[in-house]
Amino acid sequence: MFRRLFAIAAGVLLVGASPAAALNAAQPGIVSKIPAEGTPAVLDGVVNAVAQVGNTVIVGGEFTRVMQVGGHVLPRTDIFAFDATTGLVDPAFAPSIANGLVSTLSVGPDGQSVFAGGTFDTVNGQPAKRLVKLSLADGSIVPGFHAALVGSWVEDSDVRGNTLYIGGAIASVDGVPRGRLAALDATTGAVDPNVAVNFTDQRAGKLRVAHFDISPDGAKLVATGTFTKVDGLDRAQIAIIDLSTTPASVSSWQTESFTPACATRFDTYIRDVSFAPDGSYFVVANTGAWLGGADAGVLCDSVQRWESGATGPGQLPTWVDYTGGDSLTQVAATGSAIYVGGHQRYMNNPFAGDTAGPGAVSRMGIAALDPENGLPYSWNPGRYPRGSGVWAFLGTPDGLWVGSDTDYVDFAYHPRLALLPMAGGKSIPPATPGVLPGDLYTVGAGATPMRRSFDGAVAGPPAAVTGLGLASSNIRGAFMLSGQLYLAWSDGHMDIRTFDGAAVGAPKTIDLHGLTAGRLPVSKLTGMFFADGRLYYTVNGDRHLFWRWFEPQGRLIGAQRFVASGNLDWSAVRGVTAAAGHIYYVRDGSLYAVDFAAGAPVPGTETALSGAAVGDGQVWTGRGMFVNAP
């Protein structure tokens, strides 16, 4: 009945072991959308946390029954461990968690223990309020570690070196006051006096640090929660703590982006945060309900990228991807992709609430995004039903663990726990523009396509390139990436075809996903080019240079439009491209160049290179111009 239910015991197809992971591991591509066979099934409740050390995978949450390979059902309350190779549940590791749930798991520095945090107050019949250290050998409480917490919840945790960081509604540890974040000796539980940052002034509900992540170098901690101040400084729902200072201190990094309120029922609408494996950026995922999306300038129900090296007030995200009113509950950055999970139906949906707006693509409950621009890759396994969301991600060298409250991934029965393996996944295809010196092509305007050698300053004589079928006066723009030629047409469609410099392949229409002429005036374009994850374009009669995010792997155009420049008058441009730190464009039959830096043309740097403007006898025509990109 199901495409994949469970492998028989002799045919388990789980992947091999991974080391303990405090961060999501860097991965070389996108994981497979087909779940690995042989993972245990969590038959009720929800999975909130997954940790792994060697062959051992530990799972925490709120549940009572687990079914392993072969269909044998075992009682397990809120926590269990299993072998990553065989999928068999560890019979010796069966701690008894009482009066609460497990929210977070972190492997101990010895690789033989695991820290569990949550709302519980008893473990194995012994008092263990909110936090416990368990032996992976037999599930017993590890002696010697003691941390008596005052507070209702340990919501997140991380181990770095021999330090255990915990966040939640934590007022004190062993009588030492703490302002919702604490650092403990991972062996003894002794409170680290150097991490005493105070989170205060909650927006609503209970004051707490709900989620945090630590940079790979251990120097920065990004904390999110219900607070609006940290050590007396304005920090609405998010703050960066500098762990490299003694004592730890509040970074100057600050943003007002989370000051506007989303739906008032959320005490904090930030649901998760994840550092990239190289530490260069972090990603934040939100709930919040539909309150106008990009048009309203709010971040409700969106995911954003933030640069880690930025300092000072007024920080803004590098990009924002909106769901259109559905919550994102978990995020994991793995280098090649950013995985988001929730109960979302769409991504790239900034202009409509609870329906597909212009640009929206269907991504049911899980998606993989391009780290450069936030647009979703074509990867689309889907989670059915979507439930409340994904509550655990763990990226390892072997794949991506997904914990949730629902039963199916890619229409395969994997209740509440699935591994999407690297085996069978996809690498990200290159999307490289042409470089100079190279061949510069002009197409369209009813003229025969021309090729010229070009070094960025001097253009060789034009040579006709026949047989391409690109002399049409209906071409409205062109750009080329890694052997693929993209064209815009006067009837409002765009297509892609292979091009080797002499011959073109059959065209394939690019789905604009509802970006009609009012949003993206393809028929009025006069040129376009690609750079740094962005599609730049000019429009007939408009003095601005516009851009949108563009995802070549999925051939997806961003829903939002941005202005790169109005300093130069682009209204008369007929053909534009970019290479070697310059934008090259045709105006009044001549070729011009302007410096291109930080995503925009540099005023005052325009130079005429060829044509009537310099008197070299060349004539430049066509709305499509591109540098050959083999």
Side-chain angles (χ1 to χ4, degrees), residues 476 519-522 524-530 534-539 542 544-548 557-558 560-562 564 570 576:
R476 292 295 179 262
R519 292 283 182 178
L520 178 60
V522 175
K524 297 180 181 180
L525 300 188
T526 56
M528 57 185 185
F529 66 89
F530 176 88
R534 301 177 178 186
L535 174 61
Y536 291 81
Y537 57 94
T538 51
V539 178
D542 196 307
H544 298 92
L545 175 66
F546 298 105
W547 66 270
R548 295 169 181 267
I557 298 173
Q560 292 178 261
R561 185 193 73 175
F562 304 93
W570 299 89
V576 59

Side-chain angles (χ1 to χ4, degrees), residues 181-198:
L181 178 75
L184 312 178
D185 185 291
T187 303
T188 67
V191 180
D192 185 343
N194 289 313
V195 181
V197 183
N198 200 24

Side-chain angles (χ1 to χ4, degrees), residues 474-497:
N474 293 322
I475 290 176
R476 292 295 179 262
F479 67 95
M480 190 175 178
L481 302 172
S482 300
Q484 303 286 327
L485 178 61
Y486 298 77
L487 294 167
W489 296 87
S490 61
D491 64 359
H493 89 277
M494 295 177 65
D495 62 36
I496 181 175
R497 60 196 75 197

